[in-house]
Amino acid sequence: LLTCAHVINYPDTVVSYAEGIGGVVTDIVEAILIKDKQYVFAAGFPEDSKLDILALDKKSDLAIVGKDYGSLYSYAFPVFDFPLGKAKELEWGTFVYVFGFPVNYQMITKALVSSPDRDKSGAFLIDAVVNRGYSGGLVLAIRDGIPNFELVGIVQWAPRGETEILVPEKRSSGNVHNTFIPYKGDIYVDTYKDLKYGIARVIPVETVMKFLKSYEKELINEGYYLDSFFNRRNY
């Protein structure tokens, strides 16, 4: 299964340093978090839907996950069998379909292409309104009319802004503050993160193919052969 690396990539160790006078970070270690284990899930798959990370590249933000099910070889796994397109052939205003799982809801939407081949790798932007869960979602274009769908990329991210805001203290009970009563408690600074809706970056299929080629030997050693995939559009 193909996805974005940031969906499954988490640091092994996180170190938090104490703050000194004026909020300046010191070299005094306040806490250390060490990852003990990680589970990767894909809903609908056998054996508790757990998968292994087979290949991961932070720079391209791509990853491959999979699982050898052995005796379950006859299980009817869904297969993506549309041909591969060429993201570099997209133009301003090209119509595309976008698939994803925002907030755990399986959804499909439509979008228009902007800034085609913006970094000479084939990457482009779309005006789809995406939320968390669209990362790794398919982007399909149409060549010469329906039903000639082609994979041209996968959704990577939408830009996000951060704003510091003042918030009341958190209540241990979890109850919200009464908005009809003046608040007299301590005030804290928090960071409000908001997505810039209507702008989403897409990883082009050309980058996906380079990623798969670079890990081809490792995948073959693990028992995964991609010959038929590479031959779909002479990659």
Side-chain angles (χ1 to χ4, degrees), residues 47-160:
E47 299 182 9
D48 298 327
S49 299
K50 294 180 182 178
L51 300 171
D52 302 319
I53 299 176
L54 304 176
L56 187 148
D57 184 75
K58 295 180 182 179
K59 184 177 181 180
S60 62
D61 195 16
L62 292 169
I64 292 288
V65 296
K67 185 75 173 181
D68 181 4
Y69 288 108
S71 61
L72 294 175
Y73 181 78
S74 60
Y75 184 86
F77 291 101
V79 178
F80 178 85
D81 57 2
F82 286 108
L84 305 179
K86 297 277 191 180
K88 289 186 176 182
E89 295 179 357
L90 298 174
E91 300 177 348
W92 281 88
T94 299
F95 182 90
V96 293
Y97 285 100
V98 186
F99 301 79
F101 283 82
V103 201
N104 293 326
Y105 290 103
Q106 185 177 14
M107 293 189 66
I108 177 175
T109 187
K110 58 186 178 180
L112 297 178
V113 171
S114 292
S115 300
D117 198 19
R118 59 195 303 266
D119 59 1
K120 305 307 178 182
S121 71
F124 58 96
L125 303 177
I126 54 176
D127 64 344
V129 178
V130 300
N131 289 275
R132 286 178 61 94
Y134 259 110
S135 296
L138 300 176
V139 179
L140 302 184
I142 303 172
R143 185 183 293 272
D144 301 325
I146 295 176
N148 301 314
F149 294 102
E150 293 183 347
L151 175 66
V152 291
I154 64 174
V155 177
Q156 183 179 23
W157 48 252
R160 183 177 66 178

